[in-house]
Amino acid sequence: MHTGSARVYAGEPDGAHRLVASVPAGGTTTLPAIAAGEVFSVQSDDPFTYALATTPVPDPDPDPDPDPGAPRSSASVTWDCTGSPCPWGAQTTGHAAVWPAQLEPVRNRYGYTTSAGVYAPGAKVSGYQVTVGSGTANVYAGDPNGSHRLVASIPTGSTTTLPAVAAGEVFSVQSDDPFTYTLTPGTPLPPLDPPCQDPVACDPVAWTPAIWVCNIPGCTDGDWVGGVVSWPPGTAYSSNGRSGGNSRTVYAEDGSLLHPYMGPWADGCEVTVLTGEVLVIEWERGEDVWRETVVGPGETHTIELVGAENGAMLETPNNSEPFTVSLASCTPEPVGAG
């Protein structure tokens, strides 16, 4: 760089780009090897002058993982918002295991594009063993377009085997801090049946990932993200009936309406939590106050509406962790529009 300063970026033409280097006046940087199809750009907010010198860099090894059991170091990874819903803001960072290219990892999840392939298809890596040599790491699994659940927490010196997951789900190994790890291939496990989410026909009933959208005229407040038990249309409400910035209508991740707000028929419904945690809301529809009860695995809560309360809801307790429940004495009845 002769005068001024500039930044070098790289990435896919149709995706987010990562910062490769910052080059001050008089400085030089060598463009590194990048994945097939990626491009470079050199940019600045102000004018600069520069020179280019050709020093070809060999293509990356087409088989970058000749020793699948070799120790590895986690990578510092950036998640850039390139779609929707992006619940963690425009950008977030962390440390993660980068999967070998032959496992065909993906870089898109929940509206974000990652700077490395941190999401491995369960069809290829279920049965793998993950050993953490230093630091700690968490293993997550889920649909690339939805919320992910915690599968295992791995302390230093410990190993976990990646379990069978539903078709289409992916794994990631992540931490807030650097860690080292090894990947030991195993025999892939057959996919699990998809969870049943119909509270009328299923036992157990699995959560449905949900997005609460403020879509009344003039409302620009941000979305809420979590999960719910959704009831048949006409027997529960899709919106909370509240006003202003507290108004929310609930949608599934594919954009379809969900109906989590039960009517007065919720009184007497018994909720037994099998996995995860459930937040039971008992309230008067449309109000800004309610009663909350967090129910953990193996615990049962019976909904008892008091006073003017005329509704309830089963949701995640301010997170996006999956849950399953067993329901008894929950007989949906028609409710009004809304």
Side-chain angles (χ1 to χ4, degrees), residues 310-323:
N310 57 7
M313 180 171 62
L314 310 178
E315 64 168 323
T316 51
N318 300 316
N319 59 33
S320 294
E321 298 295 334
F323 63 79

Side-chain angles (χ1 to χ4, degrees), residues 35-132:
E38 290 191 322
V39 297
F40 286 106
S41 65
V42 183
Q43 305 180 35
S44 178
D45 296 330
D46 302 301
F48 61 92
T49 61
Y50 63 97
L52 299 176
T54 303
T55 305
V57 176
D59 291 335
D61 186 344
D63 181 13
D65 192 35
D67 185 359
R72 308 161 190 266
S73 296
S74 62
S76 179
V77 177
T78 300
W79 281 255
D80 288 295
C81 180
T82 56
S84 178
C86 294
W88 311 305
Q91 185 183 82
T92 189
T93 59
H95 290 267
V98 177
W99 298 92
Q102 63 266 35
L103 295 176
E104 301 178 1
V106 296
R107 294 173 50 197
N108 298 100
R109 184 202 157 207
Y110 227 16
Y112 293 92
T113 298
T114 60
S115 57
V118 302
Y119 296 106
K124 292 182 176 292
V125 301
S126 63
Y128 265 58
Q129 289 186 332
V130 181
T131 300
V132 171

Side-chain angles (χ1 to χ4, degrees), residues 269-286:
C269 179
E270 294 182 4
V271 182
T272 299
V273 177
L274 304 179
T275 62
E277 288 187 326
V278 175
L279 179 65
V280 180
I281 301 294
E282 294 160 286
W283 74 319
E284 180 181 358
R285 176 172 169 75

Side-chain angles (χ1 to χ4, degrees), residues 16-325:
H17 284 203
R18 61 191 177 276
L19 178 65
V20 172
S22 294
V23 190
T28 298
T29 193
T30 299
L31 302 185
I34 55 177
E38 290 191 322
V39 297
F40 286 106
S41 65
V42 183
Q43 305 180 35
S44 178
D45 296 330
D46 302 301
F48 61 92
T49 61
Y50 63 97
L52 299 176
T54 303
T55 305
V57 176
D59 291 335
D61 186 344
D63 181 13
D65 192 35
D67 185 359
R72 308 161 190 266
S73 296
S74 62
S76 179
V77 177
T78 300
W79 281 255
D80 288 295
C81 180
T82 56
S84 178
C86 294
W88 311 305
Q91 185 183 82
T92 189
T93 59
H95 290 267
V98 177
W99 298 92
Q102 63 266 35
L103 295 176
E104 301 178 1
V106 296
R107 294 173 50 197
N108 298 100
R109 184 202 157 207
Y110 227 16
Y112 293 92
T113 298
T114 60
S115 57
V118 302
Y119 296 106
K124 292 182 176 292
V125 301
S126 63
Y128 265 58
Q129 289 186 332
V130 181
T131 300
V132 171
S134 63
T136 61
N138 293 323
V139 179
Y140 298 93
D143 188 280
N145 297 316
S147 299
H148 285 200
R149 60 193 177 276
L150 177 66
V151 172
S153 294
I154 314 176
T156 301
S158 295
T159 299
T160 193
T161 300
L162 302 185
V165 293
E169 290 192 320
V170 296
F171 285 103
S172 65
V173 184
Q174 302 182 38
S175 179
D176 294 330
D177 302 301
F179 60 95
T180 61
Y181 63 98
T182 56
L183 302 174
T184 304
T187 302
L189 304 172
L192 299 175
D193 292 333
C196 187
Q197 298 172 320
D198 184 347
V200 176
C202 303
D203 188 14
V205 180
W207 81 322
T208 299
I211 303 170
W212 282 254
V213 180
C214 190
N215 56 4
I216 62 175
C219 186
T220 59
D221 289 14
D223 297 344
W224 304 339
V225 178
V228 296
V229 169
S230 181
W231 301 87
T235 68
Y237 300 99
S238 60
S239 70
N240 60 12
R242 297 164 72 187
S243 59
N246 290 327
S247 172
R248 291 295 187 281
T249 300
V250 189
Y251 295 88
E253 292 173 331
D254 64 3
S256 59
L257 271 178
L258 298 178
H259 300 82
Y261 292 99
M262 307 153 73
W265 55 265
D267 192 49
C269 179
E270 294 182 4
V271 182
T272 299
V273 177
L274 304 179
T275 62
E277 288 187 326
V278 175
L279 179 65
V280 180
I281 301 294
E282 294 160 286
W283 74 319
E284 180 181 358
R285 176 172 169 75
E287 295 299 312
D288 290 334
V289 294
W290 52 82
R291 292 186 294 123
E292 296 185 356
T293 304
V294 176
V295 189
E299 298 177 345
T300 297
H301 177 81
T302 300
I303 296 173
E304 295 182 4
L305 302 181
V306 298
E309 292 177 347
N310 57 7
M313 180 171 62
L314 310 178
E315 64 168 323
T316 51
N318 300 316
N319 59 33
S320 294
E321 298 295 334
F323 63 79
T324 57
V325 296

